Amino acid sequence: MLYSTMTRYNWIVEEVDPSLKRQIEERFHTTPAISEIILKRNLADNQALRNFISCPISELHDPFLLPAVAQAVERVLEAVQNKKKIVVYGDYDVDGITSTSLLVEFLRKLDAQVGYYVPNRFDEGYGLNEEAAVKLAGKGYSLLIAVDCGTNSSSVLARAREYGLEVVVCDHHNPLVSPETGAIIVNPKLPGSRYPYPELAGVGVVFKLISALLSALKDSQRSRFPSNFLTQTLDLVALGTICDVAPLTGENRILVKRGLSLLARSRRPGLVALKKVAGLEGKKIGTYEVGFLLGPRLNAGGRMSSALKCVQLLLEQNLERALKISQRLDEENRKRQKIQEEIALEIDQILETDASWEKECGLVLFSADWHEGVLGIVASRVAKMQRKPTVLLTQAGDMCKGSARSIESFDLFQALSGCQHLLDGFGGHRLAAGLRMRLENFLIFREKFVSLANQVLLEEDRVAKLHVDSPLIASDMKRELFKFLKYLEPYGEGNQEPIFLFRGALLTEIRPTSDLKHLKLRVKVDSLTFQAVMFNAPSEVLQEIEVGSQIDLVFCFRESDFDTHGGYEIVVLDLRNVSGEKPHRIAEHIHDDLPAHSH
């Protein structure tokens, strides 16, 4: 059969052992499609599947397995007992904001003398900095608790005592070196850590520290907290974990699934206000709503000005004041979107006019005029579209500062570690990082980074992969399947939404949306007809298909307000014309209500 070349993805359809599949069908009394999903997600064990679906709190690990958590508990409670001034020092992203807010809230309930500090992205950059440490010590703070940062601030940690500060670090970032600094570092990723689940977000590590602190309180202190205090903090834990794109597996899945149900009905004035300005009042809150509607507004504070007001929002007890802060963040988010689009357009033009980048597997761009606060978002978009690790930098005095984003096949953290001698600092993960360097090092860094990408990445890495959970036929489309899909939520990093394949579907309708960005389709599979949508459909799609085409399509389901199968419609991720020939006159077959200029 002849396939067109229009596909944007490499479809990975792995076969499963038919006998194993039948065993799963019989054991769980379920369908072939569901059995295949269970096998491919390593959920064939009865207890594993039960825990994955129910997410019991009892499956959370003992917080005292975390490195140095016992010493951290002792140090924090000693400071509370002796009325020492404590400052929580957090990062300016959503993970840092929620981490800071959660720990401050807990310490306030203990009547601790506690303040908080969030560095300014533009003046201070990421992580602990010496100037801030000196300033905080001068204000009389004797214990600094760094959250979502600090592991790699070795020089500041080593000198903290000179400034009169004891330091506890509560972090989740990969250590560059063994952090022997005299500070107490609670981090599941430290060398030698016995903690069973190293993928907690920063706010997840804070949650664990608070859990350990609660268990160590005297009865008189514990009585200040309601019995459900820990579970009532999971709205913030879910918010920070999702926005940090942490894997939604293991403990993170439990924390997020529980937290999302709480987030929808949260009475925190700050979250009530934030949901209101985001248009989510009274609506279901899932990972999409958190990652694309709530998170960007909280992130806008740190990206455009200061994240201090974001912590203030989450700690605010007055709804009217919370609404004012949320409205300011909403305005900043709109400004962020405008600036972001301008930079993205400029980069598109650079890549169109400079063909030399086409042959390179990595991309490193610099402009003194770019806004530092949005470079991470733009880098993410460019990396996705170009299918190559991308570093975007701007000027800050005699320094370059910016963000990097990667693709699945390239470990960004490892690559930056290989360029460490050229950098003044960096931090992050496999797929995302921030970095800074001296201007004179930029050209050498660019050459080194691109060279590393060229060495590591293969041609096939430049094509995104779609891993198909199961091919479907019409008889698979039962309510049992849609019910099971609900059980698998929440979806996100590490627990992607299931992807399916229809082979040989008949295309019965094509209708672009009014803005011409998306396509509305109707497809027939055996005797069933489905409504489908293809978002951001590439222009060549209309040159490859027509009504009457036979197509293979890879898709996922989304809940629909229409009376569709199981209350779901199809979201097409990619498709192939398998009719054997390319259509010539598309316009004659397209649905009548198309705008005249759409083709």
Side-chain angles (χ1 to χ4, degrees), residues 215-386:
S215 70
L217 292 178
K218 298 175 181 176
D219 290 343
S220 59
Q221 293 172 309
R222 196 178 295 117
S223 64
R224 301 180 185 188
F225 298 88
S227 59
N228 63 347
F229 174 79
L230 270 178
T231 55
Q232 291 302 303
T233 67
L234 291 180
D235 50 0
L236 295 184
V237 177
L239 183 58
T241 300
I242 293 167
C243 291
D244 213 51
V245 201
L248 298 190
T249 58
E251 283 192 300
N252 283 344
R253 175 174 169 80
I254 298 171
L255 297 172
V256 167
K257 185 163 186 174
R258 299 276 176 163
L260 281 174
S261 63
L262 181 62
L263 192 57
R265 61 181 192 276
S266 178
R267 294 183 179 179
R268 293 178 191 273
L271 291 181
V272 171
L274 196 64
K275 287 187 290 185
K276 184 177 179 66
V277 300
L280 293 174
E281 205 171 17
K283 295 185 178 178
K284 176 191 171 184
I285 307 291
T287 51
Y288 172 83
E289 288 75 17
V290 171
F292 291 92
L293 298 176
L294 298 178
R297 287 171 169 83
L298 273 180
N299 260 327
R303 292 189 184 281
M304 304 304 294
S305 55
S306 168
L308 280 171
K309 59 178 164 291
C310 302
V311 179
Q312 181 187 348
L313 171 68
L314 295 183
L315 293 173
E316 181 58 66
Q317 296 300 304
N318 180 277
L319 181 57
E320 188 176 341
R321 288 195 293 268
L323 278 169
K324 288 180 180 178
I325 299 171
S326 294
Q327 287 160 358
R328 289 206 303 273
L329 289 174
D330 192 51
E331 291 168 7
E332 289 190 330
N333 191 49
R334 286 196 293 271
K335 291 178 185 175
R336 185 270 304 169
Q337 290 172 321
K338 183 175 183 295
I339 294 169
Q340 173 187 322
E341 287 305 312
E342 290 170 352
I343 296 174
L345 180 60
E346 185 179 340
I347 290 173
D348 287 344
Q349 292 169 345
I350 290 171
L351 297 179
E352 285 175 10
T353 55
D354 185 355
S356 65
W357 281 113
E358 180 60 32
K359 68 179 187 297
E360 307 291 2
C361 292
L363 184 63
V364 181
L365 298 175
F366 168 87
S367 171
D369 299 324
W370 287 342
H371 192 294
E372 179 190 338
V374 305
L375 291 186
I377 306 173
V378 181
S380 181
R381 170 174 161 175
V382 174
K384 182 178 181 181
M385 297 299 294
Q386 296 293 321

Side-chain angles (χ1 to χ4, degrees), residues 49 89 176 178 299 308 383 408 548 571 585:
L49 181 60
Y89 186 115
L176 295 173
S178 182
N299 260 327
L308 280 171
E408 305 85 8
V571 176
R585 298 185 65 189

Side-chain angles (χ1 to χ4, degrees), residues 465-587:
K465 297 178 178 64
L466 288 176
H467 291 268
V468 175
D469 284 84
S470 178
L472 295 183
I473 56 177
S475 61
D476 292 317
M477 306 299 287
K478 300 175 181 176
R479 290 195 177 274
E480 185 179 357
L481 174 63
F482 300 113
K483 187 176 180 180
F484 185 72
L485 295 182
K486 292 293 290 181
Y487 286 149
L488 295 182
E489 294 178 357
Y491 299 125
E493 185 69 24
N495 183 41
Q496 300 296 334
E497 196 165 358
I499 293 174
F500 301 100
L501 167 65
F502 275 147
R503 289 191 173 101
L506 179 67
L507 183 60
T508 62
E509 183 181 307
I510 311 168
R511 181 163 51 90
T513 55
S514 58
D515 59 7
L516 307 181
K517 290 182 179 179
H518 318 300
L519 285 179
K520 290 280 189 180
L521 309 171
R522 191 181 292 270
V523 295
K524 188 174 182 181
V525 181
D526 296 334
S527 60
L528 298 179
T529 298
F530 301 92
Q531 295 184 51
V533 61
M534 189 174 192
F535 293 110
N536 299 308
S539 57
E540 63 265 26
V541 169
L542 283 178
Q543 299 168 13
E544 297 279 350
I545 57 174
E546 64 181 343
V547 170
S549 293
Q550 194 173 21
I551 59 175
D552 288 352
L553 63 155
V554 175
F555 64 93
C556 57
F557 290 105
R558 103 178 151 176
E559 290 185 80
S560 171
D561 296 329
F562 303 104
D563 185 21
T564 55
H565 294 276
Y568 284 79
E569 65 178 341
I570 289 172
V571 176
V572 178
L573 305 174
D574 203 9
L575 54 81
R576 294 168 176 165
N577 184 347
V578 295
S579 301
E581 60 182 41
K582 184 176 177 179
H584 298 288
R585 298 185 65 189
I586 299 283

